[in-house]
Amino acid sequence: MRRLLPLLLALLATPAAAFEPTGNAVADGFLRIVESCGFDDVAFAAAQRADRGTVLTGLSASARNERLEIGTVVIVDGLIDADNGLRAEAIQYRDMRMTNTADAASHSTAGMLTLARPHLPMRDGGGSWLETVLGDFESLLAQDVAARPAAGRALEVGRIEVTRADEGGPWSGRVAFQAARVDAAFFQGTAGTYLTDLGYDTLTISGALEGLWSAGEGTLAVREASLAADGVGALVVSGAAEGLSAERIAAIRDNAGALPQMLPLLTDVRLESLTLAFRDGGLVQRLVTRTVERSGDTVEKVRSDAVATVDSLLALVGVPALQAQVTDAVRRFLANPGTLAVNLAPPASVNAAQIVGGALLKPDALPQLLNFSISATP
């Protein structure tokens, strides 16, 4: 009796499986977790033990208007914890496909998705299919990802990497993608027309976001935020700020547009540094060439007209030193396109409320207040 009672309690605590049990605790635990997301017909072709792991093949499940299919699931060193969650050294999914059953033309696929040290919790009927199969993890690698809407162009990405930083916390780490192919037609309206006009029928894009944000302390460090397109160039941003706690961000959002309420909220927000750089990869030459074709002017005149336009706009600010610095940087950049970088490094005593107030009341003082500089390098 003493042995029977704990066994009965364990059976009662474990959700009943609508799928055919495999006899493998790890495989059955994984299938229960998938089922807990709301899938009502979880099925598989085979389940077997392998070196250090469990392998499921031919997995399929449906919920709402979605049908999930995974060719192979490999669970390395998996175990089911006390909360019926799955923990493992790694989980690898191969040949994934999610189809919108309301319109079979709309689907998403991934050739391979690998998780390092994942934890998949039970879902109690909630959460998306993606949250269910990803759970929490230390790192993620996705390869050959594609999203195909019912109408319009597909979006394809060769590689996606997500890594949590050693500092810990949910808002720290790095996200990067490579070889994302996007047709110009994917950008509807003026943007798509402009890209096509410049000769960009398809863009191959890569990007990264790496940093650390403490929601409680409000410290933000963006080590890299970059977006690059072959034949166009790369935009890279980095910076740091203090005072941007989750609570303060919510208050700023709720009071957006109400300056009397906004300014007090910004007194403890400080911009420590900000760098914005554009590395040309062919965009400048295309812009100049297209302008020459339309206007009939020489290349030299197109460049000089662009510099003159910048110079006249900056003259309105009324800061001759700034006007000369920016105009010279633009002139050198157009003559020899390389990297054009803007840097802000305000003193520690300057807060966001002072910056906003300066922009409204005395914009000519902003360059000095922000310690503004601009440079152009080949």
Side-chain angles (χ1 to χ4, degrees):
M1 180 63 71
R2 291 181 179 177
R3 294 182 179 179
L4 182 58
L5 183 58
L7 178 59
L8 289 174
L9 291 174
L11 290 173
L12 290 172
T14 302
F19 55 86
E20 185 69 25
T22 69
N24 181 311
V26 172
D28 288 346
F30 172 78
L31 294 170
R32 277 194 295 268
I33 290 167
V34 173
E35 194 176 56
S36 74
C37 181
F39 289 99
D40 54 12
D41 61 346
V42 179
F44 61 95
Q48 60 185 356
R49 290 182 175 85
D51 292 341
R52 295 184 58 202
T54 299
V55 179
L56 281 161
T57 56
L59 177 70
S60 63
S62 299
R64 299 172 287 275
N65 291 324
E66 299 174 327
R67 180 166 179 79
L68 172 65
E69 297 171 284
I70 305 178
T72 307
V73 181
V74 181
I75 305 171
V76 180
D77 287 345
L79 60 87
I80 304 301
D81 61 24
D83 297 318
N84 294 314
L86 171 62
R87 298 179 185 273
E89 185 67 22
I91 297 179
Q92 186 175 86
Y93 304 102
R94 301 171 188 166
D95 300 324
M96 299 182 68
R97 181 185 180 94
M98 174 55 73
T99 304
N100 184 336
T101 55
D103 188 339
S106 176
H107 63 271
S108 302
T109 59
M112 186 176 297
L113 195 156
T114 305
L115 307 174
R117 294 182 175 83
H119 170 222
L120 309 187
M122 294 290 284
R123 288 290 174 180
D124 192 24
S128 68
W129 71 269
L130 192 58
E131 291 174 326
T132 300
V133 298
L134 296 185
D136 299 318
F137 53 84
E138 286 190 6
S139 65
L140 173 153
L141 171 61
Q143 296 170 278
D144 299 326
V145 178
R148 302 181 184 278
R153 301 285 183 168
L155 174 63
E156 300 177 356
V157 184
R159 184 182 181 94
I160 301 173
E161 297 177 74
V162 180
T163 305
R164 291 184 59 181
D166 293 337
E167 294 97 326
W171 305 107
S172 60
R174 176 181 174 83
V175 179
F177 68 91
Q178 300 171 358
R181 292 180 58 83
V182 183
D183 290 342
F186 184 84
F187 302 94
Q188 298 180 356
T190 305
T193 302
Y194 199 61
L195 286 170
T196 303
D197 185 58
L198 289 173
Y200 295 111
D201 296 322
T202 301
L203 296 178
T204 301
I205 303 174
S206 61
L209 175 60
E210 180 178 2
L212 170 65
W213 175 52
S214 172
E217 298 177 2
T219 56
L220 172 66
V222 179
R223 295 168 186 144
E224 176 191 0
S226 63
L227 188 65
D230 292 353
V232 180
L235 184 65
V236 183
V237 180
S238 62
E242 292 185 351
L244 288 172
S245 65
E247 182 180 2
R248 189 175 300 275
I249 290 175
I252 292 173
R253 182 186 64 243
D254 293 341
N255 291 279
L259 192 60
Q261 287 75 33
M262 283 278 289
L263 288 178
L265 294 171
L266 296 175
T267 55
D268 291 327
V269 178
R270 301 182 186 280
L271 175 65
E272 295 182 352
S273 63
L274 179 64
T275 298
L276 177 65
F278 174 71
R279 295 195 297 264
D280 180 59
L283 175 62
V284 173
Q285 183 59 48
R286 292 196 186 213
L287 287 170
V288 171
T289 300
R290 190 67 178 124
T291 305
V292 167
E293 292 172 350
R294 286 183 169 181
S295 65
D297 294 330
T298 63
V299 170
E300 291 74 16
K301 183 154 190 323
V302 168
R303 290 173 178 168
S304 63
D305 286 350
V307 173
T309 300
V310 172
D311 187 62
S312 62
L313 290 173
L314 289 170
L316 301 175
V317 180
V319 183
L322 172 69
Q323 180 180 349
Q325 182 185 19
V326 175
T327 302
D328 179 64
V330 172
R331 179 183 296 108
R332 288 187 287 112
F333 177 71
L334 291 177
N336 188 8
T339 299
L340 186 67
V342 173
N343 296 279
L344 305 179
S349 58
V350 176
N351 59 48
Q354 291 172 291
I355 295 173
V356 173
L360 295 174
L361 302 175
K362 199 174 181 182
D364 58 318
L366 273 182
Q368 184 175 0
L369 182 67
L370 296 173
N371 194 12
F372 172 92
S373 65
I374 185 171
S375 62
T377 55

